[in-house]
Amino acid sequence: MKLVRYGPRGREKPGLIDAQGRLRDLSAHCATLGWDELSPAGLKRLAALDPRTLPAVRGEPRLGVPFTGISKFIGIGLNYRDHAIEAGMAIPSEPIVFMKATSCINGPCDPILLPPGSVKTDWEVELGIVIGREARRVAEAKALDHVAGYCVINDVSEREYQLERGSQWDKGKGCDSFGPIGPWLVTKDEVPDPQNLRLWLELNGERVQDGSTATMIFGVREIVSYLSRFMTLHPGDVIATGTPPGVGMGRKPQRFLGAGDTLRLGVEGLGEQRQTVRAA
């Protein structure tokens, strides 16, 4: 299934995308797409519905974050070898973990707002993991049992805040609008191999990132298992798994976002995001 939430910010309704790519309304069957719906039992109940019986939604409404109940927004840094090299940083021997503030969460096509005084705001297309069942000290072999599905994430990052102001990554990762998620939550049954997905990003129409999750240093199973040793993962928690090379920080000369820039990005089978950059 491709699950979505659509409508004005704060008043989104639940929906799904049918086999023909049409948006269908789920409001008669659930109030939102949250913890209950992301659970194995909840997803099974939604999967039993015939999309043809659901009302079609007219027009092209705004898409919000495709699920609710996000208690943690976790990032994995330098998880592509070539990206670590372009950043001039050591190849990690264990996953590098940071947190993105939940207040940064944004719809997939909502504008990116440059913080006042920002000089190094950057882009990062990433595969997102969405947790569907509580995970605590989970073995790698069982890790995917706790995953509801996957999504596209743009891990927007202000590099000066991240690297030049005390080296506390969270400061550069959690600004308002720095966490676009969606457009869809694609359930794991539609993603047979999360380690074989193409991901890409275009800046003002120029392809600047083009990679594959096959080159991740730490895969989905290992990431979920690893994180569950240090914190309990709850339904709705989302994990950004790292980005391939091609970010602005790694270009020569470096290139960062300015007002008026446009981004288009996607992950194979998970949909596309489009954003315009604005001054806050």
Side-chain angles (χ1 to χ4, degrees):
M1 287 182 293
K2 295 179 175 68
L3 300 174
V4 302
R5 292 170 61 248
Y6 67 96
R9 183 186 291 271
R11 294 187 285 125
E12 294 93 343
K13 296 180 179 181
L16 61 76
I17 305 297
D18 67 17
Q20 289 73 42
R22 292 173 297 197
L23 174 59
R24 300 278 186 166
D25 182 29
L26 275 173
S27 297
H29 300 276
C30 54
T32 189
L33 294 170
W35 284 33
D36 288 343
E37 291 75 24
L38 297 180
S39 69
L43 291 177
K44 183 178 180 180
R45 179 173 60 83
L46 292 178
L49 299 174
D50 182 350
R52 295 171 298 180
T53 67
L54 302 174
V57 178
R58 295 181 179 179
E60 297 183 2
R62 168 189 174 271
L63 295 181
V65 178
F67 52 95
T68 63
I70 303 174
S71 68
K72 290 185 286 297
F73 191 174
I74 307 165
I76 304 297
L78 305 177
N79 196 27
Y80 289 72
R81 184 176 301 273
D82 289 350
H83 173 54
I85 292 171
E86 75 171 351
M89 299 182 183
I91 306 299
S93 58
E94 292 190 29
I96 295 174
V97 180
F98 60 89
M99 306 295 278
K100 289 179 73 76
T102 54
S103 54
C104 83
I105 293 170
N106 217 25
C109 297
D110 293 341
I112 292 172
L113 305 177
L114 294 174
S118 166
V119 294
K120 294 185 178 180
T121 295
D122 207 346
W123 57 84
E124 297 189 19
V125 60
E126 309 203 3
L127 170 68
I129 306 168
V130 183
I131 299 300
R133 193 172 77 180
E134 185 177 281
R136 183 186 298 113
R137 294 184 292 277
V138 173
E140 280 190 42
K142 298 289 186 181
L144 295 188
D145 294 345
H146 299 263
V147 172
Y150 304 94
C151 60
V152 182
I153 291 175
N154 188 356
D155 176 20
V156 185
S157 308
E158 215 296 349
R159 303 301 188 187
E160 184 192 35
Y161 298 177
Q162 177 188 357
L163 302 171
E164 301 173 31
R165 301 182 66 172
S167 296
Q168 297 176 26
W169 282 27
D170 295 6
K171 288 191 297 188
K173 298 285 190 173
C175 302
D176 289 353
S177 80
F178 275 23
I181 299 174
W184 315 320
L185 165 62
V186 180
T187 51
K188 65 181 178 183
D189 58 293
E190 293 197 11
V191 186
D193 184 3
Q195 302 308 148
N196 188 30
L197 301 175
R198 179 170 159 262
L199 62 172
W200 52 272
L201 182 144
E202 294 177 354
L203 170 64
N204 299 330
E206 176 190 357
R207 183 68 55 97
V208 293
Q209 286 189 279
D210 200 344
S212 170
T213 59
T215 64
M216 287 166 59
I217 298 171
F218 308 104
V220 170
R221 292 178 184 270
E222 186 171 1
I223 288 169
V224 172
S225 175
Y226 182 86
L227 291 175
S228 75
R229 301 179 211 167
F230 302 99
M231 63 191 83
T232 299
L233 302 175
H234 292 114
D237 286 351
V238 61
I239 305 163
T241 59
T243 197
V247 300
M249 177 177 62
R251 295 169 69 88
K252 296 181 181 180
Q254 292 183 330
R255 166 76 162 90
F256 297 108
L257 295 172
D261 283 338
T262 59
L263 296 170
R264 178 172 170 260
L265 58 144
V267 179
E268 182 181 354
L270 306 185
E272 296 183 5
Q273 299 184 358
R274 297 172 184 263
Q275 292 120 21
T276 298
V277 180
R278 299 179 183 173

